[in-house]
Amino acid sequence: MTVDADRLRKLIEAMAQSIFAHADELTALDQAIGDGDHGLNMKRGFEAILRDVDPAAAPLPDTLKSIGMTLVMSVGGASGPLFGTLFMTLGKELPPAPSRDDVVRAGEAAIAAIKARGKSEVGQKTMLDVLRPALDAFAASEDVVQAANQAAEATVPMKAMRGRASFLGERSIGHMDPGARSSALLIAAATDTLGRS
Ligand code: ADP
Ligand code: MG
């Protein structure tokens, strides 16, 4: 798959627009089990990306690294470094014109890097609970967007074991994890722009 400057621009815009359109929802999710800043955090991050990352300046890997670094620098909270790690690792691992196998390999590396950074595992009610099943669906040529949305829904009955939501213990049960929801939004936006194969 060749991702030229035009596609990179569309990818960045699609992810940013989806985050902007859902910022209030992400905030409401984080109000329920966190500190209510997730919508604002993600919005600030993607505003900085639109401002600072030039999709025509570099090929896919370097642009992904720039997106990741911009998230780390502009977003406070847990999610900035974790989403930053996701994009930076994809940038480090993907070649300029990735194959399907390249995407699976880079996705595995990104999940491993998030786990290391967050000291977290799948099943703890975080973004990982969407990224893991979405990558499995992609590897199996299944519907990635459906898998991501179902996985975000599946965080509702989970008990949070990492991040601020874990402070609530049992009371975190019954709400969708905000980072799981934003992960599903980003996956849907990327799939819309880049296609499903
Ligand atoms: P903060 O928790 O600092 O207020 P945000 O509200 O922006 O940051 O992001 C919260 C989201 O970050 C959570 O919903 C969860 O998905 C993700 N998250 C938090 N801590 C971790 C962790 N240790 N590992 C993986 N994801 C995490
Ligand atoms: Mg928060």
Side-chain angles (χ1 to χ4, degrees):
M1 172 176 49
T2 317
V3 186
D4 58 13
D6 185 46
R7 264 185 150 192
L8 272 176
R9 175 173 292 107
K10 286 187 177 138
L11 172 66
I12 290 172
E13 277 170 8
M15 292 192 296
Q17 289 313 322
S18 183
I19 292 297
F20 298 161
H22 296 87
D24 290 347
E25 180 195 338
L26 296 173
T27 290
L29 292 175
D30 199 34
Q31 275 163 349
I33 58 169
D35 57 356
D37 63 354
H38 189 60
L40 206 66
N41 284 343
M42 296 300 283
K43 187 162 170 264
R44 188 182 314 118
F46 277 90
E47 278 167 357
I49 288 165
L50 287 180
R51 192 179 56 232
D52 297 342
V53 178
D54 176 4
L60 175 71
D62 295 299
T63 304
L64 288 170
K65 283 185 219 162
S66 303
I67 290 173
M69 285 187 291
T70 304
L71 286 174
V72 172
M73 287 186 301
S74 63
V75 182
S79 59
L82 292 167
F83 280 107
T85 296
L86 169 66
F87 284 99
M88 287 192 298
T89 309
L90 293 176
K92 210 163 67 184
E93 299 292 330
L94 284 174
S99 69
R100 210 184 159 72
D101 286 352
D102 290 330
V103 174
V104 174
R105 226 177 355 255
E108 291 295 349
I111 288 173
I114 293 169
K115 285 181 177 177
R117 176 110 210 187
K119 301 187 174 49
S120 40
E121 289 294 335
V122 174
Q124 297 179 325
K125 194 175 178 117
T126 71
M127 54 198 284
L128 287 169
D129 292 304
V130 163
L131 298 176
R132 174 76 269 164
L135 185 60
D136 289 341
F138 181 82
S141 301
E142 292 165 8
D143 188 333
V144 181
V145 176
Q146 193 191 346
N149 287 332
Q150 279 175 0
E153 286 293 341
T155 66
V156 172
M158 289 183 182
K159 180 174 153 187
M161 313 284 278
R162 285 291 178 276
R164 283 178 196 281
S166 66
F167 305 157
L168 289 182
E170 301 284 329
R171 281 182 293 134
S172 66
I173 294 172
H175 304 276
M176 188 184 292
D177 178 65
R181 175 66 174 140
S182 48
S183 299
L185 291 173
L186 294 177
I187 287 167
T191 305
D192 269 358
T193 321
L194 301 176
R196 282 158 202 266
S197 55

